[in-house]
Each structure stands twice: as C-alpha cells, then as structure tokens.
Amino acid sequence: MRLPALKGRWPSPGGGFVLAGVCCLLAWCAAPQAGRAGQAIGAALDPCPRPAAGSALPQPVDLRSENGELRLDLRIRNARQKDGSVHYCYVLADGAQAPTLRVHPGDHVLLRLHNEIDNGQLAAADRLSPMGQSLCTTPPARTADPCASGAMGATATNLHFHGMTLQPVCHQDEVLKTSVPAGAPFFEYRYEVPRSEAPGLYWYHPHIHGFSSRQVQGGASGALIVEGLERSVPEVAGLPERVLVIRDQELLNPQAAPARSEPTPPKSLMESDGDALNNGSGFGKPAKDLSINFVPVPYPLYPPATLRMKPGERQLWRVLNASSVTYLNLAWLVQRRAQPLGVVAIDGVARQAAGGVPGGPLWTDHLMIPPAGRAEFIVEGPPAGNTGLLVTRSVDTGPAGENDPNRALAVVQADPQAPEPASRLPGPSASAAVPATDALTPLRQLQPVRTRRLYFSEKPLHPEDPNSPTEFYITVDGRPPKVFDPKAGVPDIEVHQGDVEDWIIENRSNELHAFHIHQIHFLVMDLSGQPLQEPFVRDTVNVPYFKPQMLSYPSVRLRMDFRDPNTVGTFVYHCHLLEHEDGGMMGTVRVLPRHRSKG
Ligand SMILES: [Cu+2]
C-alpha cells in the first residue's frame, strides 16, 4: 500500500488530510529558500548525474583502508529533475558517486559527512513528512547539536551502517538522535570495525525518520565490504568480483503503455489512476523503476545494462538491494534457462553449515532479496558465443503491495577479450590465516531466555477516505498499535546484553513487510510454525502477507542475538520498505548491560 505523497497525489494545502495547525509550517514547506534555488534544474548542474539506460555497467569506485585506517570525506547532495523527482548522492571530492568502502576487521574508520542537501532543489511535497504528528518539520538550525537534536526534517541527514555490529552511539551508528543539519560543519563518524565482524557485504544509507525513503530512493546509498570472505569460503579465493547495487526510483516513463509483448491486464486489475494492481502476474506497470549501479532499467521495455565476461569465467557477484520498497527475485539465464548461483553469504555473513562451521556455496536457481538484503554468489560466465541475462522475476507482494513484475537488469556478452573486473579477491595463498574470532555457540544450539510476539499492521488514517494516507505499525502483541514516535522516551522492548531471545514477527496486513533490526543478526528458526534449517543469519527478512482464508497470521520466528557487548544501548527495528518505516512502522529496543549474575 502506498503513501499518496509518494505517488504524485499529494493533496494541495487545505485538501483532505492536511491537519489543522500546520499553516506556519507550510510556509517553510512550500517556499524554496535561498542557496542555489535560482539555479536551473537539469542534468548540466546535476551533482548526481546518472548513466543512460542501456549503458555499459560501471563499477562504483573502491576506497580501501590503508595501514588499518580508512579516511574519507563524503558529501551528500541533491538535485531536482525535470520530472520532479529528486536525485540524492554521496559524492567524493572528485565527484565520484557512492564509493564502495573496503575495510578489514579491526580497522579504524574516519568518515566525515558534509550535508549539502539543498532545500531549493526540493519540491514542496519533499518537505512533508509522510505521516503523523507534524506534516512538515522545520529544518534544524545549522548550529543544532547533531548528536542531540533528533530533528527529522527533509534537509537533515545522517548515516546508518547497515548490518554492522557497531555501538548505537553518536558518531558510530545511532539514528534516533543523530541529525546533521544542511550546511553544518563536517560531521565525523569514527569507529573501529569490530574484530569479530563477519567478512561480507554491508552498506551505508541515511536514516532520518520520515525522510529515509526519499533520500534512499533518490540514490543515497553505497556498499561497504568487510574484506576476508575468502577466509570463510575458500571457493571464492582468487575470483574476480563485482559489486552490483540495485536501487529503485520513480518511473521514468509513467505514462507509457506496457510493451506489446506483454498480455494486457483486464480493467479490474487496474487502480483508479491506471496503475496495474499487484496481482502476481509478472506483468504490467511496476511501482518503481530499477537501476543497477545507477544504470536505469526503465519500464516499459527494460533495456538492460551491458556487461562483458570471459566465457565460462567464475566471478563473485556481491548484490545489494538498496531499493526503498522493491523486492528482487534474481535469476541468471543463459538461453532462457536459469543457471546455478552459488550463494556464499547473505546479509554480510558467510554460510554456516551445521555446528557453525563454514559451509561452501549453496547452489540455487533463484534468489529472493528483500529491500536492504544482500546476497553474494558465484556466477559462471555464459559459454562462448552466448549471452547471459540477469533478471528479477516477479514478486507477489500481496493485494495491497506494489506491482513488481518480471524485468531484465543486465545482459552479459561472453567475450574472450572482456576486461578484468576492477577487483579480485586474494588467492588461496593469502588466505591461509583464518582470523581467531570469538567462537560463539551457534544460535540454533542456544535456548532463548524468552519469546516475544510482534506484528506488522496498517490502516488508513481516515478509513472512510480511500485516498487518505496509510498508518503503518509494528506492535508488541498486547499493546495498542501506534505509529513510531521519535520523541517517545521509553523503549518498546528491553533486553539484556548476553541474552538470546526468540521474536515471532507476524504480518497481519495484506502486503509484504521486511523486518530489519539494527546492530544484530538473527537466525530464522521457522516460517509460520514450520521449522527451517537456514544456514545463514540475516539482518533483514521478508514476512509473508496475510490472506483472509488463512487460519493464522503468517510469521517468522527469529532467534535474536544480543550477545555482542557493542549492542548495549538503544536502537531501532523496523520494516525496511522505507515508505512503511517513514509512515510509522518502527520501534525501539534498549539493550541493558549484562545481568550481574552472569558475571
Ligand atoms: Cu513494510
């Protein structure tokens, strides 16, 4: 279910759901302010230029730590496009966008963030929080303390290092209070990558409540790699690697009819504004376009990005779904047949076989990645004279979900002269030393100290008005549903560091949601009561949607791991369909210091 604001249907001030008492705020909301407001809008001045559809697939630039340290200055900028959408980007001094940060466990990171978001490049609707208490928040003053302001506004930003077990404190990985105003001095993120951090693919993105979706959908995201995957998975040692960041964005051709090769959906499957309802058919207009390393793959023809590989060459593809709402269901096709993908890591953590020992690749012919999820897998180049096609197959997101049809992402030409990818994993000789990490007991072998039940639900703000925005909730069972309140001083859940708990997450709505929690990983123990033997831990998991004929709500049981001392503090869990998170589907957990009795 979408928020009207994000669908181009934002009502004019004074319309149906503008609440009383916001006139003074609207003055700021509606008026472009100083700065570069006088500039023409267009690609020539766009600090976030994007490749054309059908371009050769670029690789994000790699920034590698040296002598145990990674230092960088990152600027976040934005630019309104002719169609009204706004690009956001993380740029380096030379203009390179969305660098891949490469670190080793134990490295020190010093990242200085400069917020150059330009209010003049925002449309009035961009300045409105999608839901709730204040429809438009005033911008925090440049002099506000970024660690304490908690100001959630359209021109504020911050960073979340998704999947990392960093401390939830300011300057590390805290998003509840940290808010960097536009134009403020460089804001420092400084932390040590935990020595126990699993090697694999993580990412960074903004996390300003109410505005995350727009900034991420505009392109504010990048990959972060903890090096050393070849030590956990010897099969990837020496392989060339590619980072593939898949993002979603507003449709480039929203008025276009579906391609002639597609079946025409019946009228009953259309929304009132002509969009195809989600029906799981695999066809029709998607809710969002996708891009791969910023090469757009627009509806309706989906011209794929292009790539060359040596025939039959094995590569490690590190795929980040940085979409704001779009699920991926990847497949790798040669002559229309799905080829095996050797999955070695999910959400930054290598496969663990029974007993917690490293496992080799798990071969599959398709791979579902929810928004914010990552998958790292081995692919084999197409045989000589052939092409391969990376596609995402349709995901049925539920009757209230977004239409997410079949589409191509990249076409791969087998070419003996194909250039080497920019990066290659160290060979076997360099990977002999397995890092001595704390050998924690595998989650599956532990008994949870307690079980909690939470559920996703949603309802229109004004049930009598189908166009009113949707309120989104994640609720601890037994309490009244409420949208997330950034000002609430009391956490929704308290746990103790050192504990392992089971959380059952139900979905009581008729669309998919993706549960994510900061700071920790979890093991999915069962799906709607059916035990699973997953060999991966995750930080984001899909929760199936409810159908009226079901006898109980679909659910996942997650074994939550609060053993790491870095987890002490307060942090958030939420749906990672960011329109839902911005619309209220978030809660807080406080991890208290370890029980004394446990020493
Ligand atoms: Cu959701």
Side-chain angles (χ1 to χ4, degrees):
M1 188 172 291
R2 297 177 210 170
L3 300 171
L6 299 168
K7 210 177 172 186
R9 289 197 301 218
W10 192 268
S12 57
F17 65 85
V18 174
L19 303 179
V22 297
C23 303
C24 49
L25 296 174
L26 285 173
W28 178 79
C29 294
Q33 295 182 345
R36 293 187 291 144
Q39 286 182 353
I41 294 165
L45 293 169
D46 190 347
C48 316
R50 303 284 153 82
S55 298
L57 189 78
Q59 271 293 283
V61 62
D62 286 314
L63 294 183
R64 297 172 191 270
S65 62
E66 291 177 16
N67 303 316
E69 198 173 69
L70 179 69
R71 285 173 172 262
L72 70 148
D73 286 352
L74 204 57
R75 293 163 170 82
I76 180 167
R77 293 180 177 155
N78 65 320
R80 183 140 50 115
Q81 306 299 299
K82 285 178 184 155
D83 65 0
S85 66
V86 179
H87 286 174
Y88 291 81
C89 56
Y90 291 118
V91 292
L92 300 173
D94 64 1
Q97 290 184 52
T100 300
L101 312 184
R102 292 178 172 268
V103 296
H104 294 85
D107 280 353
H108 289 267
V109 173
L110 176 59
L111 186 162
R112 300 197 321 155
L113 177 68
H114 199 236
N115 181 356
E116 300 177 9
I117 293 177
D118 181 355
N119 186 45
Q121 295 289 313
L122 300 177
D126 296 323
R127 301 190 188 97
L128 300 176
S129 149
M131 278 304 305
Q133 307 80 1
S134 61
L135 282 173
C136 165
T137 54
T138 46
R142 284 185 193 188
T143 51
D145 177 1
C147 283
S149 86
M152 301 290 142
T155 57
T157 197
N158 61 13
L159 277 175
H160 170 46
F161 298 94
H162 186 120
M164 307 274 284
T165 310
L166 301 173
Q167 291 180 42
V169 297
C170 192
H171 298 289
Q172 292 205 34
D173 190 31
E174 199 284 331
V175 300
L176 284 163
K177 296 229 166 25
T178 307
S179 171
V180 183
F186 274 96
F187 180 79
E188 284 187 2
Y189 285 90
R190 49 175 186 264
Y191 54 83
E192 179 183 322
V193 178
R195 291 181 185 279
S196 57
E197 197 73 80
L201 177 60
Y202 301 78
W203 63 302
Y204 57 93
H205 65 82
H207 209 295
I208 288 287
H209 180 61
F211 302 91
S212 301
S213 179
R214 291 182 205 160
Q215 294 185 11
V216 169
Q217 198 186 104
S221 58
L224 191 165
I225 290 176
V226 176
E227 305 276 25
L229 185 60
E230 71 285 352
R231 291 197 289 258
S232 311
V233 190
E235 287 87 346
V236 302
L239 290 190
E241 58 174 325
R242 288 183 188 279
V243 173
L244 304 176
V245 182
I246 296 167
R247 299 174 174 89
D248 61 9
Q249 60 183 55
E250 295 298 344
L251 295 178
L252 287 176
N253 309 305
Q255 307 305 331
R260 284 188 188 169
S261 56
E262 288 195 1
T264 309
K267 281 240 164 54
S268 61
L269 295 178
M270 308 295 277
E271 290 183 10
S272 55
D273 62 0
D275 286 5
L277 279 178
N278 170 53
N279 52 60
S281 73
F283 298 103
K285 190 187 292 186
K288 299 279 186 282
D289 276 337
L290 292 173
S291 70
I292 178 165
N293 291 353
F294 286 127
V295 179
V297 188
Y299 166 82
L301 297 176
Y302 309 117
T306 63
L307 181 63
R308 289 184 292 157
M309 268 173 90
K310 293 191 171 70
E313 180 182 53
R314 281 193 163 194
Q315 296 188 350
L316 177 70
W317 286 10
R318 316 184 95 164
V319 177
L320 157 61
N321 184 0
S323 298
S324 63
V325 296
T326 308
Y327 280 76
L328 299 176
N329 181 11
L330 296 182
W332 170 233
L333 309 179
V334 173
Q335 293 180 338
R336 295 173 176 261
R337 298 180 66 141
Q339 305 299 305
L341 303 171
V343 184
V344 297
I346 295 286
D347 291 355
V349 185
R351 180 183 176 208
Q352 292 192 329
V357 298
L362 189 67
W363 295 91
T364 180
D365 63 1
H366 70 104
L367 195 49
M368 169 118 150
I369 312 179
R374 288 87 68 207
E376 298 170 76
F377 51 84
I378 299 169
V379 293
E380 209 161 87
N386 275 273
T387 55
L389 198 59
L390 179 68
V391 302
T392 179
R393 288 181 161 158
S394 180
V395 175
D396 178 5
T397 59
E402 311 279 19
N403 197 39
D404 188 3
N406 299 303
R407 39 196 150 162
L409 294 167
V411 62
V412 182
Q413 187 76 45
D415 179 356
Q417 309 304 323
E420 280 282 304
S423 184
R424 185 181 280 273
L425 282 91
S429 58
S431 57
V434 175
T437 54
D438 300 325
L440 290 174
T441 309
L443 279 172
R444 191 178 301 285
Q445 297 172 14
L446 293 169
Q447 285 301 313
V449 298
R450 71 179 59 75
T451 297
R452 302 177 195 263
R453 186 180 298 269
L454 294 82
Y455 65 94
F456 287 120
S457 63
E458 53 188 70
K459 78 170 177 55
L461 182 61
H462 304 299
E464 69 285 359
D465 175 6
N467 278 330
S468 73
T470 304
E471 287 197 325
F472 294 92
Y473 317 110
I474 181 164
T475 309
V476 176
D477 196 22
R479 299 191 200 152
K482 59 177 178 51
V483 294
F484 175 71
D485 176 6
K487 295 190 175 67
V490 182
D492 296 290
I493 292 175
E494 280 192 345
V495 307
H496 281 90
Q497 186 259 317
D499 284 352
V500 167
E501 299 194 343
D502 273 9
W503 289 14
I504 297 169
I505 315 292
E506 286 180 353
N507 188 347
R508 301 186 184 178
S509 78
N510 54 358
E511 67 175 317
L512 298 183
H513 298 291
F515 177 85
H516 167 57
I517 184 165
H518 289 209
Q519 265 66 36
I520 72 165
H521 279 69
F522 48 75
L523 181 66
V524 185
M525 300 297 292
D526 73 38
L527 177 62
S528 299
Q530 297 297 312
L532 295 180
Q533 295 295 322
E534 279 220 318
F536 297 101
V537 292
R538 299 173 185 265
D539 58 46
T540 309
V541 66
N542 175 51
V543 188
Y545 65 86
F546 175 69
K547 299 175 191 172
Q549 65 269 32
M550 289 177 167
L551 299 177
S552 59
Y553 294 114
S555 67
V556 289
R557 177 190 288 264
L558 310 178
R559 190 143 295 167
M560 311 291 281
D561 187 353
F562 296 101
R563 288 177 293 176
D564 194 302
N566 271 3
T567 60
V568 172
T570 302
F571 50 92
V572 294
Y573 54 85
H574 59 89
C575 176
H576 221 293
L577 279 71
L578 293 176
E579 294 177 3
H580 301 176
E581 184 241 292
D582 285 339
M585 213 169 231
M586 183 152 78
T588 53
V589 56
R590 177 179 293 159
V591 182
L592 299 163
R594 199 177 180 85
H595 281 298
R596 283 218 182 119
S597 58
K598 293 187 177 176

